[in-house]
Amino acid sequence: MPQSDHGQARKQRFQERLNVLHDTALHRRLKHHLPAAFNERWTRRHWIHASLFVTIGALVATIVPGFSNAIDASLPSSHSTLALPLPPLSLARLGETPGDSWQILRVQRGQTLSDLFEAAGVPATVMHRVLEHPGTREALTKLRPGAEIAFDLPVNGALRTIRFDRDASHRVELALQGDQIREKVLERSTSTRTVVTSGEITSSLYAAARRAGLSPSAIATMTDDIFKYDIDFSKDLQQGDRFSVVMDETWREGERIDTSKVLAATFTTGGKTYTGFRFERNGKSEYFDLNGRPLKKSFIRSPIQFARLSSNFGSRRHPVLGTMRMHKGVDYAARTGTPIMAAGDARVQFAGVQRGYGNVVILDHGRGHSTLYGHMSRFGGYRTGQRVNQGDIIGYVGSTGLATGPHLHYEFRVNGQHRNPLSVTMPPAEPLKGAELAAFRAQTSPAMARIQGMEQLIYADAGTAPKDDKRTASVTPPPAPAPAGKRG
């Protein structure tokens, strides 16, 4: 046997002996640490302990799954979702059934028609198309705050129908069908009743009138149409002044929609009572006093509001020519473009350019009275021969002709003679006569009696009458439902 093989055999035997010794030592250490029960013969006590542990383990194995099932049962069981095919929508549903997609807007103060269409998401091109329909522009461009306008907008967003009120009794629906617009007019029933309301001023006329149930338009009628010529509402009013108004209320579907028609009114200020009654003469409604004299004066003193008198009537040195000349009118300094009003009802006698007057308008008021308005920057749209009413805008302040700056030259003539507009006695308006006066008295007597009855009811005991008291009495049976508020 070679020497190398002999060494290898010795080395292997030595390793085997080490392994045997290691196993023996490990067995001895393990025997030392194991309980006696595993190293010796089991006694009765060992078997009892073993049986007890086995029984406990079996019980645990049985009870624990029960707890798990109880917990699982209290929790909601999971559900699976199954997608089912739905039937296709009908053509009517795809196109949206009319009436289920109305967007209703109420006109706010300061809003324009463009603002309303923009708020509804309707393009301006569609708005212009709607306005081209006959009669639509007049109604839509005169919508007042509070008016209702509705847009029928289906899912696709294209305007299908627009709805608005043409007047208190008629609602218009315009259906856009392709290139055509179909119009449908719906009649809306309204009812009117006549009421009497009264108020007393403690802070302001407007506040007292609103508490009395007057609308802003009715207040404007009282201040601008009835008592404008007799009462200066900026200076004359004081606490304790009172007013009474007979007016028509228009109701529609339980909503009061109009109170602008004032039939009669009284106003007590400074210890004096002024009266005004509505009456139609020559097809035009006017206001008259208790004796049938028109409250509207034939002429207003100044054809420009809030203007400064810059040159008086009489002899003066002409500012342009530098010579002494008779100034046959008065001058009102104002900014270029300030509106100029007709001093009274008249026919346009001349409208054009006339020497030193520049752009000038001459009005013929009848009975020998005429007025002249010179140096205008532009005219107000009236031509020679046309009729104008008192207060109509006939032109705008300028500096045409012989003028050093923007102002109005205003003349007043009686039978061709120039008179001072500031001091001339204005001709009285023509009163009612004959059959018209008889009809007026028959119409106004009941209204005056109602006002007197109301004021006696309210102010019979001035010491106990509450301040800013407001009472309203119904003259005709009210529509259902009756409006909210205090009624007397």
Side-chain angles (χ1 to χ4, degrees):
M1 175 181 296
Q3 185 70 23
S4 59
D5 293 340
H6 180 72
Q8 186 68 26
R10 288 186 61 189
K11 186 176 180 179
Q12 184 173 358
R13 287 195 301 271
F14 179 75
Q15 185 64 43
E16 290 175 354
R17 289 191 63 185
L18 285 178
N19 291 338
V20 171
L21 291 174
H22 180 270
D23 292 341
T24 303
L26 181 61
H27 175 72
R28 288 175 179 172
R29 286 198 302 271
L30 185 59
K31 183 178 179 181
H32 237 318
H33 288 85
L34 286 175
F38 290 96
N39 299 324
E40 303 172 0
R41 183 185 297 269
W42 278 22
T43 65
R44 179 182 176 85
R45 178 184 169 191
H46 292 157
W47 285 110
I48 292 173
H49 287 171
S51 300
L52 181 61
F53 286 130
V54 170
T55 303
I56 292 173
L59 290 174
V60 170
T62 304
I63 294 173
V64 170
F67 277 115
S68 176
N69 293 339
I71 295 173
D72 292 342
S74 65
L75 296 175
S77 58
S78 59
H79 296 278
S80 59
T81 302
L82 179 63
L84 297 175
L86 296 176
L89 289 175
S90 64
L91 294 178
R93 186 58 183 163
L94 285 173
E96 290 290 312
T97 306
D100 64 356
S101 52
W102 285 101
Q103 182 175 346
I104 302 174
L105 302 177
R106 283 199 177 273
V107 182
Q108 304 296 321
R109 188 173 298 276
Q111 270 190 323
T112 64
L113 189 62
S114 299
D115 296 334
L116 294 168
F117 272 77
E118 183 178 353
V122 179
T125 53
V126 178
M127 180 187 71
H128 293 300
R129 180 186 168 196
V130 170
L131 291 176
E132 290 174 358
H133 185 74
T136 302
R137 182 179 297 272
E138 292 77 5
L140 287 179
T141 55
K142 294 180 180 179
L143 292 176
R144 296 183 177 182
E148 180 183 292
I149 183 170
F151 302 86
D152 184 17
L153 294 165
V155 175
N156 60 14
L159 178 65
R160 183 169 48 207
T161 309
I162 182 172
R163 184 179 70 204
F164 57 91
D165 292 333
R166 177 170 292 169
D167 51 47
S169 305
H170 298 90
R171 170 165 286 180
V172 177
E173 289 188 1
L174 299 179
L176 282 67
Q177 301 176 353
D179 295 333
Q180 294 183 336
I181 296 181
R182 297 188 180 276
E183 178 179 310
K184 181 169 66 173
V185 180
L186 307 174
E187 188 133 3
R188 308 182 72 188
S189 61
T190 60
S191 58
T192 302
R193 67 169 182 168
T194 302
V195 298
V196 184
T197 185
S198 184
E200 183 174 343
I201 300 173
T202 58
S203 56
S204 71
L205 170 62
Y206 187 83
R210 292 296 284 162
R211 275 190 291 269
L214 297 182
S215 64
S217 59
I219 298 173
T221 299
M222 185 169 62
T223 58
D224 298 344
D225 295 339
I226 303 177
F227 302 118
K228 173 182 179 180
Y229 299 94
D230 296 313
I231 302 173
D232 187 340
F233 287 98
S234 63
K235 299 178 181 178
D236 294 344
L237 298 187
Q238 52 189 340
Q239 287 188 358
D241 289 351
R242 60 179 185 254
F243 57 88
S244 296
V245 176
V246 180
M247 61 184 177
D248 278 349
E249 290 183 337
T250 303
W251 289 80
R252 183 184 64 207
E253 299 172 3
E255 178 186 6
R256 188 176 71 167
I257 60 174
D258 184 44
T259 60
S260 60
K261 188 176 181 180
V262 176
L263 304 178
T266 64
F267 205 104
T268 301
T269 180
K272 184 176 181 180
T273 299
Y274 300 90
T275 60
F277 300 88
R278 182 188 178 104
F279 186 73
E280 189 171 303
R281 177 169 67 170
N282 300 326
K284 183 179 178 181
S285 294
E286 301 179 52
Y287 288 95
F288 300 82
D289 66 11
L290 195 58
N291 298 314
R293 297 189 182 94
L295 295 178
K296 177 182 175 181
K297 300 299 187 271
S298 297
F299 295 90
I300 54 178
R301 290 287 181 184
S302 174
I304 300 181
Q305 289 184 329
F306 313 114
R308 177 177 62 86
L309 182 67
S310 59
S311 184
N312 216 322
F313 183 87
S315 181
R316 66 162 189 177
R317 183 178 298 277
H318 195 279
V320 176
L321 301 177
T323 59
M324 293 298 296
R325 297 183 60 178
M326 179 66 181
H327 190 225
K328 299 179 180 180
V330 293
D331 292 345
Y332 292 99
R335 298 179 63 178
T336 299
T338 301
I340 301 170
M341 299 179 294
D345 297 344
R347 178 183 60 84
V348 179
Q349 180 179 326
F350 179 83
V353 180
Q354 196 176 95
R355 301 188 303 276
Y357 290 120
N359 293 331
V360 64
V361 169
I362 301 175
L363 300 181
D364 181 6
H365 302 276
R367 295 189 290 175
H369 295 82
S370 63
T371 52
L372 179 146
Y373 313 79
H375 306 310
M376 293 181 176
S377 60
R378 57 192 176 96
F379 300 103
Y382 292 99
R383 299 179 181 179
T384 300
Q386 288 184 310
R387 299 290 304 181
V388 296
N389 296 319
Q390 185 182 88
D392 287 348
I393 305 302
I394 58 172
Y396 300 87
V397 170
S399 54
T400 57
L402 293 177
T404 57
H407 71 280
L408 167 67
H409 175 77
Y410 174 57
E411 295 182 4
F412 192 92
R413 302 172 182 175
V414 180
N415 297 322
Q417 300 296 316
H418 292 84
R419 303 292 176 85
N420 186 349
L422 303 180
S423 60
V424 65
T425 300
M426 296 295 182
E430 187 175 354
L432 296 172
K433 298 177 182 178
E436 283 185 332
L437 181 58
F440 170 78
R441 286 175 175 168
Q443 176 179 313
T444 58
S445 293
M448 190 62 193
R450 291 160 187 154
I451 289 177
Q452 290 173 344
M454 170 62 71
E455 293 190 345
Q456 287 175 1
L457 176 66
I458 299 175
Y459 308 114
D461 188 354
T464 59
K467 293 298 182 181
D468 271 336
D469 185 33
K470 179 267 290 185
R471 302 283 178 86
T472 304
S474 174
V475 177
T476 57
K486 188 163 111 180
R487 299 288 175 184

